[in-house]
Amino acid sequence: MKIAVFPGSFDPYTLAHHDLVERALPIFDKIYVAIGINSAKVGMMDVDLKKEAIAALYASNPKIEVTTYKGLTVDYCKEVRAQVILRGLRNTTDLDYENIIAQNNLQLNPAVESYFLVSRTGLAHISSTIVRDIWRNNGDIAPLVPAQILKYIEKLDRK
């Protein structure tokens, strides 16, 4: 079975994240959308709400499982028997950053490869950081996040 882990903070989960998972589905038998838990980070959405929202988005797809994890991504990959870490690239800055992480992950666990998908045209400008900033400043984020995710975000206070 070809298993991938798509790790991230997903705060919030964007159309770019969703597009990446949808495009990866034909490549893998199972994809874990794995929300990394970092207790030092205070985000827009708490971990449980993120997990609930993303799980609702993929409720009808048995190939996608939404989970949380702590620690090293390569250790989580070993736990779920994933051979691949799936990552998206928006630009050359992402490539430089992700390459460094991929090299270190290979050193930590040579059995886990990193696969990169380049953002689709029209989605490369979307980042969770930008979405949070627009939201906190009372802007419209509907064009940036899946409608199912927006339903959860709209219940939050704009801080």
Side-chain angles (χ1 to χ4, degrees):
M1 215 173 151
K2 191 83 165 171
I3 301 170
V5 167
F6 180 40
S9 60
F10 305 120
D11 191 41
Y13 197 79
T14 69
L15 283 173
H17 295 131
H18 182 58
D19 180 67
L20 186 103
V21 169
E22 291 292 316
R23 290 170 47 216
L25 278 171
I27 302 168
F28 301 102
D29 299 306
K30 184 165 194 79
I31 298 174
Y32 287 92
V33 176
I35 304 164
I37 298 173
N38 180 347
S39 57
K41 262 185 161 179
V42 177
M44 180 174 145
M45 301 172 78
D46 70 37
V47 173
D48 292 332
L49 186 61
K50 285 189 272 192
K51 184 177 178 185
E52 181 182 340
I54 300 167
L57 179 63
Y58 295 117
S60 65
N61 193 327
K63 288 178 67 171
I64 301 170
E65 187 171 335
V66 182
T67 62
T68 60
Y69 76 102
K70 289 182 181 180
L72 296 173
T73 303
V74 290
D75 291 342
Y76 179 72
C77 288
K78 186 175 182 179
E79 182 182 320
V80 297
R81 296 181 169 143
Q83 305 90 1
V84 171
I85 296 171
L86 179 63
R87 300 295 293 162
L89 299 175
R90 293 171 295 179
N91 51 44
T92 56
T93 303
D94 282 354
L95 175 61
D96 289 342
Y97 177 74
E98 293 294 343
N99 179 47
I100 292 166
I101 293 171
Q103 296 295 323
N104 283 289
N105 283 337
L106 271 174
Q107 192 167 26
L108 292 167
N109 187 344
V112 178
E113 279 291 343
S114 293
Y115 284 20
F116 302 113
L117 288 179
V118 176
S119 292
R120 188 183 303 269
T121 301
L123 297 176
H125 68 285
I126 301 173
S127 74
S128 293
T129 302
I130 297 284
V131 171
R132 283 193 311 272
D133 192 44
I134 292 169
W135 174 254
R136 288 186 177 133
N137 288 286
N138 298 312
D140 180 16
I141 62 168
L144 307 173
V145 299
Q148 298 91 327
I149 302 295
L150 186 60
K151 291 175 189 175
Y152 288 83
I153 295 171
E154 288 174 336
K155 297 175 187 175
L156 301 172
D157 289 331
R158 291 186 190 237
K159 301 176 197 175

